[in-house]
């Protein structure tokens, strides 16, 4: 593994372009676009205010910068650096902005979710979508970019509108059997739309493209319900993470549950491998000690190295009892992700914040548990192979693959608490982000 030097950043805004050639990052009101390989600066753009969100167009030719406080979106072109576009929502305000799949339209959601404005970069035309619902995940595009589903709320009822992305014509409009719709997500094949209810009501509904209700699934009643949802890349499985600390897997034929994965505080199955992160201080020979110590020696004296040890089972994991008197309790399955080959599912139970659970989807059982010293901030699968990268808010990056597990410290001076990471589309590198800095980690293929 090789690491680049640290670069300045404001907020964890660092993104590889979809084609993998460029890396965009923000420094307050400046947008910096670098070559993804050499990290040389290719373009430097100056925005009107501090950038709060960036997103590449699907063809990597444009990049949008949203300044929510000002209600402004600025768009920059990589092919024509002199060209630029400014979209001002004015008094309507701005709470969200995203690209359409064709990379030539921008969808802006105004304050109080009064409307979604669709701006065309080609024709400069404007379309409006009324009554978008204020929920966590209210817009969803099919993977092929042909259709868009929008969650709507009118007359105290939830609706879904399906639009054709080529001309923004309404294809279907139907009401949903939800109390208070919380999120929508297309299956990767674009045939089924999953719609789930607020956490107060355990209900997930599956609709076809023409608005037919295919199935409804409820695991239990009268308790906090669904917290996270993930489709498998093959669209054959739908994983539902719940506040009861379980993941339920539905199959695409009957939409019935085929299994459920529990996340107990004690791992008891002897066939489960538990990798436990341990810290060790490096040993230094007393003959080498000098006063004052050299910088390299001082760093090695006071730094601790982390590595993985395989733990004996049964093993008790660090469990946090949620505060019963607070809103949004830290409990239940907060993170879910399938590996790109459909073989594994990684999960995090918020009651056990330091552990990542990796499930074998072919055998439908627990395969590995990684127990970290700090709480999991983020994990993401390599887009090309079953390899999971994890960060925990310190200066280490952790990698798991079926071959084993490794902890690597980023060799930087000072503090570098990694709170987020993102893979390059080739799987050969990833960008590691803290709130103030970022660096790029390069992985050599022979070592994998």
């Amino acid at each position: 593994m090789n690491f680049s030097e640290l670069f300045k950043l404001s907020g964890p805004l660092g993104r590889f372009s979809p084609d993998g050639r460029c890396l965009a990052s923000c420094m307050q009101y400046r947008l910096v676009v670098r070559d993804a390989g050499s990290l040389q600066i290719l373009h430097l753009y100056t925005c009107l205010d501090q950038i709060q969100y960036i997103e590449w167009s699907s063809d990597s030719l444009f990049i949008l910068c949203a300044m929510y406080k000002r209600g402004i979106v600025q768009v920059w072109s990589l092919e024509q650096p002199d060209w630029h576009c400014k979209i001002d929502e004015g008094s309507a305000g701005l709470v969200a902005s995203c690209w359409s799949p064709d990379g030539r339209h921008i969808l802006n959601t105004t304050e109080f979710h009064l409307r979604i404005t669709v701006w065309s970069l080609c024709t400069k035309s404007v379309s409006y979508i009324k009554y978008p619902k204020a929920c966590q995940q209210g817009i969803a595009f099919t993977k092929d970019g042909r259709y868009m589903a929008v969650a709507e709320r009118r007359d105290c009822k939830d609706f879904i509108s399906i639009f054709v992305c080529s001309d923004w014509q309404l294809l279907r409009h139907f009401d949903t059997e939800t109390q208070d719709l919380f999120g929508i997500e297309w299956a990767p094949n674009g045939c089924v739309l999953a719609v789930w209810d607020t956490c107060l009501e355990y209900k997930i509904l599956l609709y076809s493209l023409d608005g037919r209700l295919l199935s409804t699934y409820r695991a239990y009643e009268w308790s906090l319900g669904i917290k996270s949802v993930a489709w498998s890349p093959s669209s054959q499985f739908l994983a539902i993470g719940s506040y009861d600390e379980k993941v339920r897997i539905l199959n695409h034929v009957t939409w019935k549950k085929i299994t459920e994965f529990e996340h107990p505080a004690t791992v008891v199955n002897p066939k489960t491998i538990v990798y436990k992160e341990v810290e060790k201080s490096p040993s230094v020979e007393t003959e080498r000690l000098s006063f004052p110590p050299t910088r390299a020696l001082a760093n090695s004296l006071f730094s601790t190295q982390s590595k993985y040890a395989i733990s004996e089972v049964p093993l008790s994991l660090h469990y946090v009892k949620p505060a019963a008197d607070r809103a949004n309790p830290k409990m239940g399955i907060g993170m879910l992700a399938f590996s790109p080959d459909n073989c594994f599912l990684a999960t995090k139970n918020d009651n056990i914040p330091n552990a990542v659970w990796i499930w074998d989807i072919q055998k439908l059982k627990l395969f590995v548990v990684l127990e970290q010293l700090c709480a999991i901030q983020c994990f993401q699968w390599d887009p090309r192979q079953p390899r999971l990268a994890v960060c925990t808010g310190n200066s280490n990056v952790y990698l798991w693959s079926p071959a084993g597990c490794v902890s690597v410290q980023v060799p930087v001076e000072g503090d570098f608490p990694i709170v987020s990471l993102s893979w390059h589309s080739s799987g050969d590198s990833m960008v590691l982000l803290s709130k103030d800095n970022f660096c790029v980690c390069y992985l050599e293929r022979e070592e994998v």
Side-chain angles (χ1 to χ4, degrees), residues 86-121:
K86 178 182 137 196
I87 299 170
D88 191 342
E89 291 290 350
S91 58
L94 182 68
V95 293
S97 184
C98 68
W99 284 104
S100 67
D102 67 356
R104 295 297 177 269
H105 294 80
I106 287 169
L107 285 77
N108 283 346
T109 306
T110 61
E111 278 188 348
F112 309 113
H113 284 72
L114 297 176
R115 66 178 187 224
I116 294 171
T117 318
V118 183
W119 302 85
S120 168
L121 295 188

Side-chain angles (χ1 to χ4, degrees), residues 145-306:
R146 291 174 65 186
Y147 302 106
M148 172 180 78
V150 178
E152 298 175 0
R153 182 83 172 175
R154 45 180 105 180
D155 305 325
C156 303
K157 262 190 80 62
D158 292 327
F159 294 86
I160 299 283
S161 286
I162 296 176
F163 295 88
V164 181
C165 291
S166 56
D167 55 6
W168 305 105
Q169 293 296 312
L170 183 66
L171 180 72
R172 284 280 182 276
H173 176 75
F174 54 91
D175 61 337
T176 63
E177 296 175 22
T178 47
Q179 296 287 326
D180 183 8
L181 185 151
F182 192 71
I184 58 176
E185 181 84 54
W186 286 104
N189 61 14
C191 296
V192 181
L193 181 70
V195 177
W196 60 98
D197 220 326
T198 166
C199 62
L200 301 175
E201 178 97 10
Y202 196 118
K203 187 191 277 188
I204 191 158
L205 306 144
L206 297 145
Y207 290 95
S208 64
L209 191 58
D210 58 6
R212 283 179 302 122
L213 178 62
L214 301 173
S215 185
T216 304
Y217 178 73
R218 306 178 77 144
Y220 52 78
E221 288 186 85
W222 318 117
S223 189
L224 289 178
I226 295 169
K227 188 164 187 180
S228 52
V229 170
W231 285 98
S232 69
S234 64
S235 306
Q236 292 172 296
F237 301 111
L238 179 61
I240 307 165
S242 320
Y243 279 91
D244 68 346
E245 303 174 49
K246 293 179 185 176
V247 174
R248 292 167 177 84
I249 307 283
L250 308 188
N251 73 78
H252 73 299
V253 180
T254 62
W255 301 114
K256 299 277 191 293
K257 181 184 81 175
I258 50 173
T259 189
E260 64 182 38
F261 297 146
E262 297 189 25
H263 296 68
T266 307
V267 181
V268 291
N269 188 341
K271 290 185 179 175
T272 303
I273 305 163
V274 180
Y275 290 103
K276 189 179 176 72
E277 185 190 1
V278 292
E279 276 189 341
K280 63 180 177 64
S281 296
S283 57
V284 179
E285 294 125 33
T286 47
E287 294 87 54
R288 283 180 57 222
L289 285 175
S290 59
F291 193 83
T294 61
R295 192 174 202 169
L297 185 59
N299 282 348
S300 67
L301 273 172
F302 298 110
S303 70
T304 51
Q305 294 170 331
S306 107

